[in-house]
Amino acid sequence: MSIAPVIHTVRVALAPERAFAVFVEGIGEWWKKGKTLGEPHAAIVIEPQAGGRWFERDAEGTEIDWGKVIDWSPPHRLLLGWQLDAKFRYDPNFLTEVELSFVPDGDGTLVTLEHRDLERFGSDAPTVRENIGGCEGWPFHIEAYANYANSKESAQ
């Protein structure tokens, strides 16, 4: 069974270096509160290195893993391992890939998110694809990132 990846592109008014940094360093700000696994997050962390963790932390310090950093190649590529199963539970033995690319576009950057290997969700794959590709999934989150990134541009 092959399941089409979820792909969504936004344009931000930042150079790739800044767009990449805002994505990673600002994820806890632009990711909507209440749209994570635990309590509303105090932080979402992408550790800046291959092999680093990707997780959320609540106000009491409880951490919930989401996955790991597979490739850290600023300012053009970030490859994350999504290790949440179909029920959004962390499973260290499960992995799909979320790739972010940052491509110069005039005075801005095209940021493309691709969540692939969705067939690994097995019989749940069509439902997972519909959820993460739907209006409250990746398109919602990447648009929130673009709005946040563009607000950073206007604040400069």
Side-chain angles (χ1 to χ4, degrees):
M1 171 174 53
S2 178
I3 301 290
V6 172
I7 301 173
H8 197 78
T9 300
V10 292
R11 185 181 188 285
V12 297
L14 302 172
E17 294 82 4
R18 184 81 174 119
F20 186 98
V22 167
F23 184 91
V24 173
E25 296 166 11
I27 190 170
E29 298 297 320
W30 58 259
W31 195 284
K32 186 176 180 182
K33 303 283 188 211
K35 294 286 187 183
T36 56
L37 302 173
E39 297 295 319
H41 65 273
I44 299 174
V45 178
I46 299 172
E47 295 179 338
Q49 61 190 358
R53 293 172 59 213
W54 179 23
F55 62 97
E56 67 178 89
R57 180 182 307 122
D58 68 21
E60 296 176 6
T62 302
E63 295 180 350
I64 301 174
D65 285 313
W66 292 11
K68 62 185 174 186
V69 177
I70 296 172
D71 184 38
W72 178 265
S73 299
H76 300 295
R77 182 176 190 246
L78 174 63
L79 182 60
L80 299 168
W82 174 275
Q83 296 182 278
L84 302 176
D85 67 14
K87 297 190 183 316
F88 288 85
R89 294 178 304 213
Y90 176 74
D91 179 349
N93 298 312
F94 180 80
L95 186 128
T96 58
E97 292 182 348
V98 177
E99 181 172 16
L100 284 304
S101 63
F102 301 80
V103 177
D105 182 49
D107 60 351
T109 301
L110 291 177
V111 180
T112 299
L113 177 144
E114 178 179 342
H115 192 158
R116 59 182 175 243
D117 305 321
L118 303 178
E119 60 279 357
R120 294 179 184 169
F121 288 104
S123 62
D124 292 324
T127 301
V128 171
R129 194 213 182 276
E130 184 177 319
N131 289 337
I132 65 173
C135 62
E136 293 194 22
W138 282 122
F140 172 81
H141 295 298
I142 201 73
E143 290 290 340
Y145 156 72
N147 291 335
Y148 180 80
N150 289 328
S151 75
K152 292 296 182 188
E153 167 59 14
S154 62
Q156 291 182 347

